[in-house]
Amino acid sequence: MENHFHYESQNKYNIAQSKSMTLPKFQLHVHDCYELYYFISGDVTYYIEGQSYEIKNNDILIINNQELHKPVFNSDLTYERMTIHFNPEYISKYNNDNFNLLQCFEERKPGHLNRIDHHNIYTYKVDHYFDKIIDYIRRKPPEAEVMIETTFIQILVLLNKIYSQTDNLHIKSVDCDPKITRILNFINNNLNRKITLKILQNKFHLDKYYICHLFKENTGFTILQYIRYKKIMKSKEMLLQGITCNEVSISLGFGDYSSFYRSFKDILGISPREFIKINS
């Protein structure tokens, strides 16, 4: 992978553009921050919370910090994209009673309305604002930081204007099987339970092997992988609320602390207690 550039403003946002001749392998993942994903070129299906998006050049994806996602490459075409990861608390200071810059990230169901079509990007000239950011990052004039920040805010304003006109979103995605939608809802509403394939089989009256195949086909994730990630995401919220590690492991159906510890460290790379220390 060849990184074209990476720009970071501490505790606010980081911006990167990269181009991949050799396609990277992405696992199911989620960020602590929000993400703007500007697709430049390639042949990609993007999976977000059970929904699959066949993205085209200059489409934009909006992804919040609760949405599991990953790209899947359909061919070996060169893959290029630009991403802006940002702290939503930083953006909140620009909100007022009449306009919420985070609306398009927060006021929708997980995995729904993530894609903003390139037609809208061109109509509202959003691509020009990304070009401005790239220009400031590369030239580095004295005013670069303030211009990058204000240009980014203008991008969010435009995306929310597009989002508020839902009919203009041109959502084009592979419809998720209704059975999978019910399974996803059940998982997300029962993270406090130990969820097994047998439980899902009995609940939905479907063969467990069929469930596994259907889930993977529709979401790009294995069902057990999805359950584990969702539980760990929930555990982060609980730990930050002051709930003890042992209480979290019991509450989320891990059975014992050692199982919770292994899953937490495997996904996040640190132990639950290290996570608490870093965020205290």
Side-chain angles (χ1 to χ4, degrees), residues 64-115:
N64 68 34
N65 60 356
Q66 299 295 312
E67 293 177 305
L68 294 172
H69 56 281
K70 75 171 182 179
V72 173
F73 302 101
N74 304 313
S75 71
D76 59 0
L77 286 178
T78 298
Y79 175 49
E80 188 170 4
R81 73 283 191 197
M82 182 173 171
T83 57
I84 303 179
H85 295 93
F86 65 94
N87 182 341
E89 292 182 5
Y90 150 68
I91 294 298
S92 297
K93 68 182 181 182
Y94 291 98
N95 292 338
N96 58 50
D97 293 338
N98 299 315
F99 196 82
N100 177 11
L101 282 169
L102 299 175
Q103 179 187 9
C104 61
F105 290 90
E106 299 175 344
E107 296 181 13
R108 55 180 175 76
K109 293 180 181 179
H112 289 71
L113 304 180
N114 294 88
R115 175 176 173 263

Side-chain angles (χ1 to χ4, degrees), residues 1-9 12-20 26 31 33-41 46 59-61 79-86 130-131 133-135 137-138 148 152 155:
M1 178 183 293
E2 175 190 353
N3 282 315
H4 282 224
F5 64 74
H6 180 266
Y7 176 87
E8 185 169 357
S9 180
K12 294 181 179 180
Y13 53 83
N14 67 72
I15 304 169
Q17 183 183 8
S18 55
K19 186 175 184 179
S20 304
F26 288 98
H31 306 287
C33 50
Y34 288 6
E35 177 179 359
L36 271 188
Y37 172 96
Y38 181 38
F39 182 63
I40 299 170
S41 68
Y46 217 101
D59 283 355
I60 286 180
L61 297 176
Y79 175 49
E80 188 170 4
R81 73 283 191 197
M82 182 173 171
T83 57
I84 303 179
H85 295 93
F86 65 94
F130 278 98
D131 289 341
I133 287 177
I134 293 170
D135 181 59
I137 290 174
R138 287 181 171 158
I148 289 168
F152 171 46
I155 289 173

Side-chain angles (χ1 to χ4, degrees), residues 224-240:
L224 296 180
Q225 183 185 37
Y226 182 85
I227 291 169
R228 191 169 70 133
Y229 267 83
K230 278 295 186 174
K231 283 179 178 284
I232 294 304
M233 287 170 60
K234 183 65 177 176
S235 76
K236 289 168 60 180
E237 293 178 19
M238 296 173 72
L239 291 172
L240 292 176

